[in-house]
Amino acid sequence: MPVLKFRVYWEEDESVYRDIVIKPNQTFLLFHQAILQAFEFDAKHKATFFRSNDNWQRGREIILELDQEPRKVAPLLMADTAIAAAVKDPNQKFIYLYDFAKNWSFLVELIGVSKDENSKVTYPVCVRKEGLAPSQYGTKGLVGDKLVEMEEKYDLNKEGMDQDGFGEEGEEDVMGNEGGEEFGGEEENSF
């Protein structure tokens, strides 16, 4: 059976993407779960796919669960819709929205079709990760090692701040002035 490779871009930074390989007979629900796992998001919020065109216009919607929203065309359900049912051309595109309050938006593009699946792989599978995934809930959402890497890279610890001339408010600066004042009380500046 052939497998489809999709590239899932974070809309705000196209250098951040994940490549996910999925079988055509697998559902959009499995695809949704694979995207969340690839970007290290939890599954606590609603999500939807839209079939799209080359201009990233929203087409038919594929929703996570039934709702009462009015639509021109009845939506498909992720759990009931196979990927192959929505792929109409070799460069098929989708828009994936997650957590409608935060409005995480991803652009999904079919980038390859392989004739044979790998029997050692459980599909869907993320086969490539580029860029640091956006943090779902702010810096607390970063996973252990990644937060440490950020601290080391930018030297965000207290010692690094002191060494670079950043002190606490009210401390004397190098010139002996208190509270960060650059010039003493009544002296005039002559430039």
Side-chain angles (χ1 to χ4, degrees):
M1 172 178 284
V3 291
L4 306 174
K5 182 191 275 188
F6 287 94
R7 181 156 290 168
V8 182
Y9 300 94
W10 179 34
E11 187 179 46
E12 294 195 21
D13 183 355
E14 288 188 5
S15 68
V16 176
Y17 64 85
R18 305 292 183 259
D19 288 352
I20 296 174
V21 179
I22 190 167
K23 296 179 189 179
N25 64 347
Q26 290 182 304
T27 65
F28 275 89
L29 180 60
L30 290 173
F31 195 22
H32 153 73
Q33 293 165 344
I35 292 171
L36 293 180
Q37 185 176 9
F39 281 95
E40 301 170 10
F41 281 17
D42 61 34
K44 296 179 180 178
H45 306 282
K46 290 186 178 186
T48 192
F49 286 92
F50 291 94
R51 199 162 63 214
S52 188
N53 59 17
D54 288 339
N55 297 323
W56 297 107
Q57 293 173 316
R58 294 178 183 185
R60 185 136 191 214
E61 191 171 3
I62 306 162
I63 59 176
L64 183 59
E65 53 195 35
L66 288 175
D67 59 24
Q68 302 303 316
E69 296 294 320
R71 295 175 177 89
K72 290 180 183 178
V73 178
L76 302 171
L77 273 176
M78 285 186 201
D80 299 339
T81 307
I83 300 294
V87 174
K88 302 298 183 194
D89 72 61
N91 298 316
Q92 183 66 57
K93 293 176 175 59
F94 298 96
I95 298 169
Y96 172 71
L97 300 178
Y98 179 68
D99 186 355
F100 303 149
K102 298 258 184 185
N103 203 26
W104 290 104
S105 185
F106 298 88
L107 306 176
V108 181
E109 184 173 8
L110 179 63
I111 60 168
V113 178
S114 177
K115 291 181 181 177
D116 297 312
E117 66 181 90
N118 183 340
S119 59
K120 297 176 184 173
V121 174
T122 303
Y123 294 97
V125 62
C126 180
V127 295
R128 182 174 182 180
K129 293 183 177 186
E130 285 295 326
L132 187 62
S135 178
Q136 185 177 2
Y137 297 112
T139 55
K140 290 182 182 177
L142 293 174
V143 179
D145 293 342
K146 290 186 180 162
L147 186 56
V148 171
E149 287 173 20
M150 295 283 285
E151 288 174 349
E152 290 170 357
K153 182 175 179 181
Y154 298 106
D155 203 15
L156 297 175
N157 59 30
K158 184 171 175 19
E159 294 80 32
M161 297 291 273
D162 290 346
Q163 292 171 356
D164 292 336
F166 295 96
E168 297 292 321
E169 188 175 336
E171 286 183 354
E172 287 190 14
D173 67 12
V174 187
M175 304 286 287
N177 295 326
E178 209 173 298
E181 294 174 17
E182 224 171 290
F183 300 100
E186 295 178 10
E187 289 181 24
E188 282 192 29
N189 298 337
S190 55
F191 291 101

